[in-house]
């Protein structure tokens, strides 16, 4: 792929051209020249876009694409298209499929579906067989096939000894274990945050305690095993504090937060709107403030859209019957920019790469082009027309966002 | 002419003080009607009402049906056991099928909190919530307040304690909203395991000592323990529950004053109240049932008059 990008403002702290407007020449998928202005002697396609900004490609550590088994929700092909349109050059896909991705051949299947795409799909293998949280899946075998981490998605590891063994076992081959932070017996039948809102709606609450308790337990086990742990989608102030302390002790732990948990509190549930039914639940303003503080001081390593397409049949029902989850890829950048500066937002969208085994390429001459193209200044109300996903269950609908994505250049492909 | 501020009765929290006042004044009229030799008025001859009960009910269902018939409405009844819900039909489809038979109003009981709120957004009919999970049971709270008003003259300034399983009770929640709206003081009393952790943010206080609570109150509303909604055991035994939260005649007689005892039914005699308390002069349990018909007539009548516009 050969291309000349005209007048792009580069945001990449690792680039020699950070914070400057440049032309970028890409030849055979590699950045061959950066300068201003650049000639185009070979008559390559020129890319001229309004207020064009460029950064290294973005990464999301948790997306669900439904395939195999739930193609009515989403397919890998359309999921990757959504990712590209949303600025992501790589996404880690959860194993909550049917069948669950818990073997070497399942990883091969997913990889084969994602071949020759601009977006790199990084499969997460199930931690336990069929994600039943009983016996370990063949982690090493999946790792050799390309699994970047091991997770049972939203199924918590109830048995502490299972987590101990998983962390010890995976440390043999530098495997990353993910533990969904929820003590399910404390969470009980809770379908939203436990607070005055759950009380006034008569819905069972899932207290902060359920998350903090599980994280505290996991951190003790991590300290004992010296393993490598990722805690996805934390949602409470207590969790931020626990992980902050663990990092002071130099434990090998990272965590993420779902973007919607940074923006919405449980007050939006007053009308029983199932679009806001997510797991972990939307918490309180106090939690949001602590999470944002955690993002700012680096306690929280990365943000995720926690993209989870759900069909209308599973959402347009009574609240207790409705499925959990929201899509989030399409709104990720625009939503983050309502909270953080563009530079900080880019940092958050690229920071998780190394934890999931991706090289942190930079925007420099000689590097393979792995770029996101965007305009950080557009303002718009997020609506269905912005959704690329097959399912439309976005809790960002009707929210004012800032910044839109043109597309990506990655894997020697331009996707606009 | 006064009218309600809402098109549906989904919960007390969606009403204002004037709505409650209007319902009570209308109920006063209907209470007089149902004590006449001819207990019926022709007000709703052109209205069809569907009673949709997706959860078991005896008194609420009968009370609504009677209220509807005394207003001369056409009534159809439906319960989940006989329905196609079990065949996998969605709630919206089930109700829309019924509505396409030209039904004007829906009275719905449903096990899921918010079911009637959900339905109100997706169908075209006035909805009366006859109980949705642990969310609200607005007509029960209205008839409870109406009964307090009848017995004690007014609700404002009265001390009311709600005793029992607050966590699983739509009656408790609707009563809290209704009583607070009318200016009563509200306490809840029960084992801590059955009291929502954040209940005080609704403007009520928590008392775990039943004697203290009874000594404080003018009215005690005794709730049933909702075993059917419990996923785990919230107290060791019924015996131990009764020891702490059951009202017996001895306890009642030992108080400095004569308090009023209410119960939304069905009573578990010997658990939350003993028979001699339930049958005592202090109990207004059967008055509540009678008032239920008048209050429901008022609610149906007032919502139907909005329909006619």
């Amino acid at each position: 792929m050969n291309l000349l990008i005209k007048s792009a403002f580069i945001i990449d702290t690792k680039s020699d051209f950070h914070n400057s407007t440049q032309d970028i020449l890409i030849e055979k998928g590699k950045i061959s020249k950066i300068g201003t202005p650049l000639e185009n002697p070979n008559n390559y396609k020129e890319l001229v876009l309004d207020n064009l900004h460029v950064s290294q490609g973005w990464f999301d550590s948790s997306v669900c694409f439904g395939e195999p088994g739930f193609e009515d929700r989403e397919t890998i092909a359309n999921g990757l298209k959504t990712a590209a349109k949303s600025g992501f050059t790589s996404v880690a896909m959860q194993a909550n499929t049917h069948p669950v991705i818990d073997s070497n051949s399942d990883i091969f299947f997913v990889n084969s579906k994602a071949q020759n795409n601009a977006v790199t799909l990084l499969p997460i293998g199930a931690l336990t067989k069929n994600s039943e949280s009983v016996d370990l899946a063949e982690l090493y075998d999946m790792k050799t096939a390309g699994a970047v981490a091991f997770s049972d998605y939203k199924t918590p590891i109830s048995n502490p000894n299972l987590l101990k063994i998983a962390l010890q076992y995976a440390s043999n081959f530098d495997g990353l274990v993910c533990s969904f932070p929820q003590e399910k017996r404390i969470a009980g039948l809770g379908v939203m945050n436990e607070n005055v809102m759950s009380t006034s709606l008569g819905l069972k609450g899932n207290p902060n305690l359920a998350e903090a308790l599980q994280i505290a337990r996991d951190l003790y086990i991590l300290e004992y095993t010296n393993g490598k742990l990722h805690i996805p989608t934390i949602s409470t102030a207590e969790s931020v504090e626990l992980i902050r302390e663990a990092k002071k002790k130099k434990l090998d732990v990272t965590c993420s937060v779902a973007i919607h948990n940074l923006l919405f509190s449980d007050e939006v549930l007053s009308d029983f709107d199932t679009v806001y039914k997510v797991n972990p639940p939307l918490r309180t303003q106090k939690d949001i403030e602590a999470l944002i503080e955690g993002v700012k001081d680096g306690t929280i390593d990365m943000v995720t859209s926690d993209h989870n397409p759900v069909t209308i049949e599973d959402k347009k029902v009574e609240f207790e019957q409705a499925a959990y989850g929201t899509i989030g890829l399409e709104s990720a950048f625009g939503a983050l920019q309502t909270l953080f500066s563009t530079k900080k937002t880019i940092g958050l969208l690229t920071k998780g790469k190394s934890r999931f085994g991706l090289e942190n390429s930079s925007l420099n001459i000689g590097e393979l082009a792995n770029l996101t193209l965007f305009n950080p200044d557009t303002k718009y109300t997020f609506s269905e027309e912005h959704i690329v996903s097959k399912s439309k269950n976005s809790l960002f609908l009707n929210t004012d966002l800032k910044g839109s994505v043109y597309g990506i250049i990655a894997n020697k492909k331009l996707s606009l | 002419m006064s009218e309600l501020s809402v098109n549906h009765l989904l919960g007390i929290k969606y009403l204002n003080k004037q709505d409650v006042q209007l319902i009570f004044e209308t109920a006063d009229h209907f209470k007089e009607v149902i004590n006449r030799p001819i207990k019926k008025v022709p007000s709703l001859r052109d209205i069809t009402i569907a009673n949709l009960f997706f959860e078991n009910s005896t008194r609420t269902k009968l009370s609504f049906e009677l209220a509807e018939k005394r207003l001369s409405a056409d009534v159809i009844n439906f319960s989940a056991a006989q329905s196609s819900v079990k065949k996998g039909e969605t709630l919206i489809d089930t109700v829309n099928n019924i509505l396409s038979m030209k039904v004007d109003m829906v009275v719905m009981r449903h096990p899921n909190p918010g079911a009637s709120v959900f339905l109100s957004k997706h169908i075209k009919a006035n909805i009366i919530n006859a109980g949705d999970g642990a969310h609200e049971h607005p007509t029960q709270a209205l008839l409870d307040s109406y009964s307090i008003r009848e017995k004690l003259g007014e609700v404002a300034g009265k001390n009311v304690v709600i005793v029992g399983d607050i966590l699983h009770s739509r009656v408790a929640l609707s009563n809290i909203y209704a009583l607070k709206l009318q200016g009563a003081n509200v306490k809840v009393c029960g084992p801590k395991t059955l009291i929502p952790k954040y209940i005080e943010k609704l403007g009520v206080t928590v008392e775990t000592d039943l004697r203290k609570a009874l000594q404080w109150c003018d009215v005690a509303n005794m709730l049933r323990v909702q075993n059917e909604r419990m996923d785990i055991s919230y107290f060791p035994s019924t015996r131990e529950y009764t020891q702490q939260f059951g009202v017996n005649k001895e306890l009642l007689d030992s108080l400095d004053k004569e308090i009023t005892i209410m119960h939304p039914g069905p009573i578990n005699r010997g658990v939350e109240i003993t028979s001699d308390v339930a049958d005592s002069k202090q109990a207004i349990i059967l008055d509540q049932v009678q008032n239920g018909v008048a209050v429901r007539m008022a609610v149906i009548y007032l919502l139907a008059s909005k329909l006619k516009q």
Side-chain angles (χ1 to χ4, degrees):
Chain A
M1 184 204 63
N2 304 313
L3 181 72
L4 178 62
I5 304 172
K6 299 293 286 181
S7 297
F9 187 84
I10 295 174
I11 300 181
D12 182 1
T13 50
K14 283 163 69 187
S15 166
D16 303 335
F17 302 92
H18 177 51
N19 260 346
S20 65
T21 303
Q22 304 286 344
D23 293 351
I24 304 167
L25 184 69
I26 295 169
E27 292 181 296
K28 294 182 182 170
K30 271 192 173 174
I31 300 171
S32 61
K33 277 183 190 166
I34 300 178
T36 181
L38 287 183
E39 300 289 308
N40 189 4
N42 299 324
N43 261 335
Y44 294 155
K45 180 180 172 183
E46 288 194 10
L47 200 60
V48 183
L49 293 164
D50 183 37
N51 193 29
L52 176 62
H53 285 55
V54 177
S55 72
Q56 57 164 294
W58 304 341
F59 164 70
D60 194 329
S61 56
S62 177
V63 301
C64 303
F65 287 158
E67 192 173 348
F70 302 115
E71 291 84 357
D72 50 338
R73 296 178 195 164
E74 187 56 288
T75 59
I76 289 175
N78 193 60
L80 293 175
K81 182 179 161 193
T82 306
K85 293 263 182 207
S86 310
F88 293 87
T89 57
S90 49
V91 290
M93 191 185 93
Q94 296 287 354
N96 64 328
T97 49
H98 184 73
V100 168
I101 297 164
D102 63 359
S103 74
N104 170 303
S105 56
D106 296 328
I107 301 284
F108 276 120
F109 168 80
V110 171
N111 280 337
S112 70
K113 282 278 181 176
Q115 263 179 2
N116 300 320
N117 203 294
V119 180
T120 303
L121 187 146
L122 307 165
I124 295 174
L127 183 72
T128 61
K129 284 177 188 159
N130 204 27
S131 283
E132 285 168 349
S133 206
V134 180
D135 299 311
L136 285 185
E138 291 180 335
L139 306 185
Y140 175 75
D141 205 17
M142 285 194 282
K143 170 114 178 166
T144 56
V148 294
F150 306 104
S151 167
D152 289 334
Y153 191 45
K154 307 280 183 186
T155 304
I157 305 166
S158 285
N159 177 354
N161 197 44
L162 181 65
L163 177 65
K164 188 194 90 178
I165 288 168
L167 284 167
Q168 285 176 327
Y169 184 74
S171 68
N172 285 350
F173 45 87
D174 200 31
L176 179 63
V177 173
C178 305
S179 171
F180 182 63
Q182 202 164 87
E183 168 37 74
K184 67 177 185 185
R185 285 152 297 195
I186 295 284
L189 301 176
V191 290
M192 64 173 290
N193 182 44
E194 182 188 73
N195 195 9
V196 64
M197 184 55 77
S198 62
T199 307
S200 73
L201 297 177
L203 289 168
K204 286 226 168 173
N206 172 350
N208 283 21
L209 174 66
E211 185 170 307
L213 198 58
Q214 189 85 344
I215 291 178
R217 181 204 77 170
D218 287 4
L219 292 172
Y220 274 117
I221 297 170
L222 179 65
E223 194 170 4
Y224 176 86
T225 56
N226 278 324
K228 187 174 169 185
L229 179 69
H230 178 67
I231 302 176
T233 60
I234 66 168
S235 68
T236 76
E238 293 86 341
S239 308
V240 177
E241 195 46 44
L242 282 165
I243 292 167
R244 188 175 284 137
E245 288 306 308
K247 287 190 166 181
K248 281 186 194 159
K249 285 196 211 167
K250 307 287 180 203
L251 297 187
D252 191 0
V253 60
T254 51
C255 69
S256 69
V257 62
I259 294 166
H260 48 261
N261 282 103
L262 293 172
L263 280 149
F264 294 91
S265 74
D266 61 0
E267 284 168 26
V268 295
L269 283 153
S270 62
D271 237 8
F272 295 94
D273 194 338
T274 58
V275 80
Y276 299 111
K277 185 176 176 183
V278 289
N279 192 19
L282 302 175
R283 302 284 186 185
T284 65
Q285 207 52 43
K286 181 175 150 268
D287 294 302
I288 290 177
E289 282 161 21
L291 290 166
I292 290 177
E293 194 49 45
V295 168
K296 284 184 176 162
D297 72 13
T299 302
I300 297 174
D301 302 90
M302 61 195 93
V303 297
T304 171
S305 66
D306 205 17
H307 184 80
N308 187 4
V310 171
T311 63
I312 191 165
E313 289 82 5
D314 287 324
K315 277 287 188 186
K316 198 178 169 183
V317 290
E318 302 89 307
F319 195 87
E320 284 186 342
Q321 319 284 346
Y324 290 98
T326 177
I327 56 170
L329 283 172
E330 296 96 323
S331 51
F333 177 61
L336 281 171
Q337 280 222 123
T338 64
L339 291 171
F340 306 107
S341 69
T342 304
K343 193 179 148 195
K344 178 73 183 172
T345 299
I346 302 306
L348 292 171
L349 290 170
T350 50
K351 220 174 143 200
K353 284 181 167 181
S354 56
R355 187 64 167 174
F356 284 76
L358 274 173
E359 268 184 50
N360 233 345
S361 64
S362 65
L363 231 158
N364 280 315
I365 296 163
E367 296 265 357
L368 209 57
N370 185 288
L371 312 174
T372 299
L373 315 172
F374 57 97
N375 177 352
D377 300 323
T378 52
K379 289 185 177 172
Y380 57 100
T381 303
F382 189 74
S383 60
E384 271 209 26
E385 67 182 279
H386 300 108
I387 295 178
V388 186
S389 299
K390 209 169 165 183
S391 300
K392 312 294 178 199
N393 58 307
S394 170
L395 58 61
F396 291 94
L397 283 171
N398 304 315
T399 305
D400 289 333
L401 303 183
K402 186 181 171 221
S404 44
V405 174
Y406 289 119
I408 59 168
I409 297 169
N411 293 335
K412 301 183 180 178
K413 289 185 174 60
L414 167 70
S415 176
L416 287 182
Chain B
M1 195 185 109
S2 301
E3 61 171 35
L4 293 177
S5 66
V6 292
N7 291 321
H8 311 280
L9 180 63
L10 303 176
I12 301 291
K13 65 169 168 274
Y14 308 103
L15 299 181
N16 60 39
K17 213 170 162 178
Q18 290 72 35
D19 290 330
V20 175
Q21 193 58 35
L22 177 62
I23 291 168
F24 286 176
E25 283 164 12
T26 314
D28 285 340
H29 169 69
F30 286 127
K31 181 145 187 188
E32 186 261 318
V33 167
I34 57 178
N35 282 302
R36 286 179 198 162
I38 296 170
K39 303 177 179 64
K40 210 164 167 164
V41 287
S43 317
L44 302 189
R45 269 195 310 208
D46 50 348
I47 297 283
T48 306
I49 303 176
N51 297 322
L52 312 182
F53 279 71
F54 295 92
E55 193 181 67
N56 288 338
S57 162
T58 309
R59 83 202 56 227
T60 304
K61 193 172 167 186
L62 282 177
S63 180
F64 266 110
E65 194 172 343
L66 209 54
E68 290 150 4
K69 286 181 170 165
R70 298 237 152 116
L71 289 166
S72 303
D74 290 323
V75 180
I76 55 170
N77 287 305
F78 165 99
S79 62
Q82 308 150 7
S83 78
S84 48
V85 172
K86 289 194 169 168
K87 297 174 194 163
E89 193 179 41
T90 68
L91 179 61
I92 297 175
D93 284 341
T94 302
V95 177
N96 269 332
N97 271 285
I98 294 165
L99 291 182
S100 63
M101 299 176 217
K102 303 292 172 203
V103 169
D104 305 294
M105 203 183 284
V106 169
V107 174
M108 183 171 81
R109 168 164 292 191
H110 197 282
N112 291 139
S116 52
V117 177
F118 166 73
L119 203 59
S120 72
K121 289 185 196 162
H122 294 108
I123 67 160
K124 285 180 189 163
N126 295 49
I127 296 171
I128 298 175
N129 179 6
D132 57 337
H135 180 221
E136 286 228 36
H137 190 356
T139 55
Q140 179 69 45
L142 288 168
L143 75 88
D144 287 346
S145 283
Y146 186 82
S147 302
I148 294 172
R149 170 181 174 266
E150 187 179 68
K151 172 85 178 178
L152 302 177
E154 61 178 342
V155 178
K158 295 291 178 290
N159 293 345
V160 181
V161 61
I162 305 169
V163 183
D165 180 358
I166 312 299
L167 184 66
H168 299 97
S169 176
R170 52 193 171 217
V171 176
L173 196 57
S174 282
N175 258 291
I176 288 168
Y177 285 126
L179 293 165
K180 295 297 294 178
L181 189 63
Q182 296 168 90
N185 309 308
V186 185
K187 272 190 201 302
V188 294
C189 179
K192 276 274 175 72
T193 49
L194 290 176
I195 294 178
K197 187 172 163 63
Y198 297 95
I199 192 91
E200 287 184 337
K201 290 190 182 176
L202 296 180
V204 305
T205 52
V206 175
E207 175 59 68
T208 49
D209 183 330
L210 180 64
R211 170 178 286 279
K212 280 188 193 163
L214 295 180
Q215 193 63 56
W216 169 83
C217 76
D218 301 305
V219 178
N221 198 347
M222 307 300 298
L223 303 181
R224 185 174 64 88
V225 173
Q226 308 226 332
N227 287 312
E228 70 276 17
R229 291 191 201 284
M230 293 188 186
D231 48 334
I232 54 164
S233 174
Y234 287 82
F235 51 85
S237 67
T238 304
R239 181 171 166 272
E240 194 161 303
Y241 177 86
T242 305
Q243 280 173 359
Q244 298 177 82
F245 301 102
V247 174
N248 56 40
K249 197 77 174 76
E250 196 187 346
L251 175 58
L252 217 50
D253 290 344
S254 72
L255 302 175
D256 297 343
K257 55 181 177 184
E258 191 168 289
I259 63 168
T260 300
I261 298 290
M262 299 173 69
H263 197 300
I267 306 172
N268 289 321
R269 285 177 182 254
V271 181
E272 62 270 7
I273 52 175
T274 53
S275 285
D276 47 6
V277 171
D279 301 331
S280 73
K281 277 198 302 192
Q282 283 168 261
I284 57 166
I285 298 166
L286 293 177
D287 299 319
Q288 288 173 263
V289 177
Q290 192 188 127
N291 289 336
V293 178
V295 166
R296 289 183 174 111
M297 284 173 80
V299 168
I300 294 164
Y301 175 82
L302 290 167
L303 287 178
S305 61
K306 296 203 84 168
L307 196 70
K308 284 175 184 170
Q309 293 165 15

